[in-house]
Amino acid sequence: DQQVKQNSPSLSVQEGRISILNCDYTNSMFDYFLWYKKYPAEGPTFLISISSIKDKNEDGRFTVFLNKSAKHLSLHIVPSQPGDSAVYFCAASANTGNQFYFGTGTSLTVIP
Amino acid sequence: NAGVTQTPKFQVLKTGQSMTLQCAQDMNHNSMYWYRQDPGMGLRLIYYSASEGTTDKGEVPNGYNVSRLNKREFSLRLESAAPSQTSVYFCASSRQGVSVLVGYTFGSGTRLTVV
């Protein structure tokens, strides 16, 4: 029933290395994909997005890759920093953008 | 700028009690949303308001009502709280009509416990 899945509840990475967070979806109608970052006791904050017409989008240390045929997207963080330690959610929506479906989140820990 | 402000931050209710969660944004956003976050479930959309004067059901609307009071404010009401409504509630807003890809701005959440 979960249309957006993040199968890794947690991930630990050494500072300076690459962090790769994965997300899978089941609905082929999804056109828009967003990543959010969440610190404890705060709301999610928007990080980066991609539409289905692209397969890659970069913003500084953050890159999102989209593989539509596999219904898979990933977030790469290079280099990882201790301040990146947070829970990361992926979210997907069809063309209206009014109803985003969120994954269950991946807790990233960057070890100094 | 305050962004999205939610009140209260914490609340404990007894089963059957009612309450209203308040949300206000000062970014002149036209769309507003209520989500709940439960362990192992991610965030799920309860209701949304694409523009002032309109509201629509999301994924999990049962047991809730909403009011879009004006462009700034969007409230969520629990008429008869149940333990299954114990959750963290997030309000969000966005500049729909500009781009879906700009993301939402979330409030810091209301942690609700129903006993």
Side-chain angles (χ1 to χ4, degrees):
Chain A
D1 194 37
Q2 188 89 8
Q3 298 193 54
V4 179
K5 300 177 184 178
Q6 293 176 259
N7 293 318
S8 298
S10 62
L11 175 68
S12 291
V13 172
Q14 289 289 130
E15 182 178 2
R17 306 294 288 268
I18 184 171
S19 294
I20 300 176
L21 294 89
N22 294 304
C23 179
D24 297 293
Y25 61 96
T26 57
N27 189 339
S28 59
M29 299 299 291
F30 287 153
D31 287 327
Y32 305 103
F33 305 89
L34 279 61
W35 284 92
Y36 287 86
K37 176 179 180 179
K38 185 183 181 302
Y39 293 117
E42 295 184 10
T45 55
F46 170 70
L47 190 59
I48 192 169
S49 61
I50 191 168
S51 73
S52 59
I53 63 172
K54 300 177 73 174
D55 55 16
K56 177 182 174 181
N57 188 30
E58 286 183 81
D59 185 0
R61 296 186 297 113
F62 302 92
T63 303
V64 56
F65 295 92
L66 175 63
N67 183 333
K68 285 186 294 181
S69 60
K71 295 190 182 68
H72 177 83
L73 65 157
S74 60
L75 174 68
H76 293 208
I77 306 173
V78 184
S80 301
Q81 299 174 353
D84 296 329
S85 296
V87 176
Y88 290 79
F89 292 96
C90 65
S93 177
N95 57 5
T96 65
N98 276 321
Q99 185 150 347
F100 272 92
Y101 293 87
F102 282 74
T104 52
T106 296
S107 178
L108 173 66
T109 301
V110 180
I111 304 164
Chain B
N1 273 345
V4 177
T5 302
Q6 292 184 235
T7 55
K9 292 192 182 303
F10 302 94
Q11 184 71 48
V12 179
L13 288 180
K14 293 183 178 178
T15 298
Q17 286 186 317
S18 63
M19 79 161 295
T20 300
L21 281 64
Q22 306 286 353
C23 175
Q25 52 90 10
D26 61 1
M27 298 169 286
N28 202 35
H29 286 174
N30 49 316
S31 298
M32 298 185 73
Y33 312 84
W34 277 105
Y35 280 86
R36 59 178 288 175
Q37 184 189 11
D38 302 296
M41 298 293 292
L43 283 80
R44 291 180 293 168
L45 182 65
I46 304 171
Y47 271 93
Y48 67 95
S49 171
S51 61
E52 188 178 354
T54 69
T55 60
D56 285 286
K57 295 178 180 179
E59 196 179 351
V60 289
N62 291 345
Y64 305 95
N65 286 301
V66 290
S67 296
R68 183 74 183 267
L69 304 170
N70 47 56
K71 191 171 186 179
R72 291 187 63 248
E73 298 172 288
F74 188 39
S75 63
L76 178 71
R77 183 160 179 84
L78 288 71
E79 290 291 352
S80 178
S84 60
Q85 295 178 304
T86 293
S87 188
V88 180
Y89 291 84
F90 289 101
C91 177
S93 68
S94 73
R95 292 190 300 166
Q96 284 299 83
V98 174
S99 171
V100 172
L101 295 172
V102 299
Y104 297 170
T105 301
F106 281 85
S108 58
T110 295
R111 186 174 293 275
L112 175 67
T113 302
V114 183
V115 297

